[in-house]
Amino acid sequence: MAIKPQKVVLASGNQGKLREFFRILGTAGFEIVAQSEYDVPDVEETGLTFVENAILKARNAAKHTGLSALADDSGIEVDALNGRPGIYSARYSGKGDDANNIKLLKELEGVPDEQRTARFRCCIVFMRHADDPSPLIADASWEGRILHELSGTNGFGYDPLFFVPTHNKCSAELSPDEKNAISHRGQALQHILKLMS
Ligand code: IMP
């Protein structure tokens, strides 16, 4: 069934994510508004999976705005850490992006390149309204490797530590358009747009 919302609230307060959402959705054919414009309170991410947390965020934003909502839950899985920090990526150090990167480097001290494999994951949910019993769900992943030191200034979060083998560069060295064309979020957004059309 085609879904043609007039206005969609983006259920995120993360500026890095919002920049990427707005850039990709600029031509999507509906109006997009950040949840901060409606003073939507943050919801506790009590889920144990990306999809549960994405649904919690979308439902919360839809409930407080009366609009359809898009939410993403995302994170990085590091194989040498048995998939951590995963859904806890934003909360890994408890002190924000820079401290998260320092903690990751410390945990991987002495781990050789071939064991530093990792992937970003992103789950995007679209809810027509807060009680939508069948949200649209799209997910995607992006394979790479954790570097030994920070590199690049673009992006946000773990981008300065995420080496992208297909481009022989760090994620934070990719331009916004280069990143959006291949990233977990870019892929998941394209997928959800298809489901909505
Ligand atoms: P969420 O807001 O609970 O979904 O947490 C997502 C967290 O995962 C972010 O705060 C970042 O730490 C990390 N993350 C997700 N996507 C990216 C990305 O594209 N680049 C860098 N870090 C990311």
Side-chain angles (χ1 to χ4, degrees), residues 75-81 84-85 89 92 100-120 142-151 157-165 169-171:
I76 193 161
E77 287 178 355
V78 180
D79 292 328
L81 303 178
R84 283 189 300 115
S89 294
Y92 181 42
N100 286 345
N101 284 328
I102 291 168
K103 179 170 176 180
L104 183 55
L105 283 176
K106 193 141 193 60
E107 281 215 86
L108 291 180
E109 243 167 40
V111 177
D113 278 356
E114 65 275 13
Q115 289 168 31
R116 296 173 82 94
T117 47
R119 69 208 50 77
F120 278 120
W142 188 26
E143 297 288 331
R145 200 172 72 224
I146 306 300
L147 290 167
H148 294 264
E149 55 186 31
L150 301 168
S151 184
Y158 298 91
D159 282 330
L161 284 182
F162 189 73
F163 180 75
V164 182
K169 280 184 192 178
C170 183
S171 175

Side-chain angles (χ1 to χ4, degrees), residues 63-64 71 147 185:
K63 184 173 136 199
H64 284 91
L147 290 167
R185 187 165 301 99

Side-chain angles (χ1 to χ4, degrees), residues 70 124 126 136-138 188-196:
L70 267 174
I124 297 187
F126 175 76
L136 300 182
I137 299 171
L189 263 172
Q190 294 306 338
H191 185 191
I192 203 108
L193 286 175
K194 275 198 197 116
L195 295 177
M196 291 167 71

Side-chain angles (χ1 to χ4, degrees), residues 154-182:
N154 295 336
F156 67 99
Y158 298 91
D159 282 330
L161 284 182
F162 189 73
F163 180 75
V164 182
T166 51
H167 289 57
N168 199 30
K169 280 184 192 178
C170 183
S171 175
E173 293 169 331
L174 297 175
S175 72
D177 287 339
E178 278 177 322
K179 180 181 172 191
N180 288 339
I182 55 174

